[in-house]
Structures are given as C-alpha cells and as structure tokens.
Amino acid sequence: MSQNHAAPVTVSDCEVMASVDESHAGERLVIAEICRDEAYLAMPTETTVEVDDWR
C-alpha cells in the first residue's frame, strides 16, 4: 500500500485580531491577521450574532 504523505503546512507568524471600528456608516466588526492588508471578515455589528463558544 502506498502511504499518504501530506504536504507540510507552514504556520503563520501573524496574530489574528478582532476589533469594532467606527465609520461614517456605523460600527463594523473586523477580524484580520495583522500582517495582511485584507480582513477575514468585515461586517456591520448590527448583523453579527452572539458566539457562545469562541476558539
């Protein structure tokens, strides 16, 4: 049988941050790595949901 050799995964040295930013359109929740220009998530706080278990 052949073995499944997975490609090594590099771990990012960047930290992930979450913040609520004020803008002319209202508050926005932003989740992003601090070493990148784009965010994982950016959405109005009025459309966010409560999270019971955050990891």
Side-chain angles (χ1 to χ4, degrees):
M1 268 199 249
S2 67
Q3 294 180 357
N4 183 4
H5 296 283
V9 176
T10 57
V11 176
S12 174
D13 290 334
C14 294
E15 292 184 24
V16 175
M17 68 94 189
S19 67
V20 174
D21 294 341
E22 290 285 337
S23 72
H24 65 280
E27 291 183 335
R28 291 184 333 136
L29 171 65
V30 178
I31 299 175
E33 281 186 326
I34 59 174
C35 67
R36 296 183 186 226
D37 290 335
E38 62 264 352
Y40 293 136
L41 172 78
M43 63 189 300
T45 55
E46 59 199 31
T47 59
T48 59
V49 295
E50 187 174 322
V51 178
D52 293 330
D53 186 15
W54 185 265
R55 296 176 191 202

